[in-house]
Amino acid sequence: RKEVEQDPGPFNVPEGATVAFNCTYSNSASQSFFWYRQDCRKEPKLLMSVYSSGNEDGRFTAQLNRASQYISLLIRDSKLSDSATYLCAVNRGENKFYFGSGTKLNVKP
Amino acid sequence: DTGVSQDPRHKITKRGQNVTFRCDPISEHNRLYWYRQTLGQGPEFLTYFQNEAQLEKSRLLSDRFSAERPKGSFSTLEIQRTEQGDSAMYLCASSLAGLYEQYFGPGTRLTVT
């Protein structure tokens, strides 16, 4: 079983829509969680860390559900510029990170 | 530019040749990571340094791969006797000790022909 799993998508949504992605992790000892954004043929860019209490940054909200072992990313009022692949990353506190394969988002006019 | 830098950005090599990539982390970051990413996949962890010490190596890192960070600043990743399966994007990331937020460089895209 993979350490981290994501729905590859693509999620095709109109501008202004709200879209949510989940990412499941297999190891209950996982400690730190992150969402990255990756544009085509570019490096991943840190979008936000995911805290136990959840966190919000503008139109983006991340949540952690330890009981069900998943993290989520909610994007409100989608913009064309949000089109990208969203990667989740999980760390077990051993300085080794596990990334999902990413969820592709297409925001259409 | 004070971000992570990598050199070269692209490398085409013939099978069997050796290649070396360089990563310069963000200056105050003492943790440095190497990853490999292939099309449609997320980055796969290869190795990790804290200062000059290599503290973690993935089983993915065969004996053809070696990484160094001699003075705790820049790092090099060498692949000996390259194979076509080594074709990938090689990403470097750095972070501050005590924090897990990693910042990636632009990557080196390797093509083995």
Side-chain angles (χ1 to χ4, degrees):
Chain A
R1 185 181 173 187
K2 286 186 177 180
E3 288 276 341
V4 181
E5 297 203 62
Q6 294 183 254
D7 182 339
F11 284 58
N12 298 308
V13 302
E15 268 187 296
T18 295
V19 62
F21 315 130
N22 283 345
C23 164
T24 58
Y25 59 94
S26 61
N27 196 307
S28 59
S30 299
Q31 296 181 6
S32 306
F33 309 88
F34 306 90
W35 283 104
Y36 283 81
R37 172 201 167 116
Q38 188 170 30
D39 293 295
C40 188
R41 301 182 74 84
K42 300 281 193 180
E43 74 272 23
K45 291 192 186 298
L46 181 65
L47 186 62
M48 56 202 311
S49 304
V50 187
Y51 305 122
S52 295
S53 55
N55 52 312
E56 187 173 316
D57 183 4
R59 298 181 294 107
F60 298 83
T61 300
Q63 297 280 353
L64 167 63
N65 185 317
R66 284 195 183 273
S68 300
Q69 294 185 197
Y70 73 88
I71 61 173
S72 63
L73 178 68
L74 180 80
I75 306 175
R76 289 181 296 276
D77 188 23
S78 299
K79 312 289 185 194
L80 293 176
S81 58
D82 294 333
S83 296
T85 295
Y86 290 84
L87 300 165
C88 65
V90 170
N91 171 271
R92 278 192 267 157
E94 55 193 21
N95 296 309
K96 193 158 64 175
F97 289 76
Y98 300 90
F99 282 79
S101 298
T103 297
K104 188 170 175 59
L105 172 65
N106 295 320
V107 181
K108 300 188 180 299
Chain B
D1 187 353
T2 56
V4 179
S5 62
Q6 293 188 244
D7 184 70
R9 297 290 302 275
H10 303 275
K11 178 72 178 178
I12 300 173
T13 192
K14 292 187 176 180
R15 190 176 55 187
Q17 298 295 303
N18 299 345
V19 293
T20 300
F21 310 141
R22 176 180 171 125
C23 170
D24 287 87
I26 295 170
S27 59
E28 62 268 28
H29 286 187
N30 62 343
R31 292 182 172 180
L32 187 147
Y33 306 80
W34 284 99
Y35 291 87
R36 179 172 67 189
Q37 186 175 25
T38 54
L39 197 62
Q41 300 298 314
E44 291 178 292
F45 171 83
L46 293 178
T47 190
Y48 156 69
F49 290 86
Q50 181 157 315
N51 300 313
E52 64 276 10
Q54 188 174 19
L55 299 184
E56 186 83 40
K57 284 173 65 171
S58 167
R59 285 171 291 177
L60 288 175
L61 217 64
S62 77
D63 56 6
R64 297 185 298 107
F65 288 70
S66 62
E68 294 182 339
R69 195 182 182 197
K71 297 181 181 177
S73 56
F74 74 90
S75 175
T76 58
L77 178 69
E78 182 183 15
I79 309 174
Q80 296 183 325
R81 305 181 303 281
T82 51
E83 301 173 356
Q84 286 188 316
D86 297 331
S87 295
M89 174 77 92
Y90 289 83
L91 292 161
C92 174
S94 69
S95 70
L96 276 170
L99 297 175
Y100 288 113
E101 286 83 359
Q102 297 181 50
Y103 297 88
F104 283 84
T108 294
R109 187 170 296 280
L110 173 67
T111 302
V112 182
T113 61

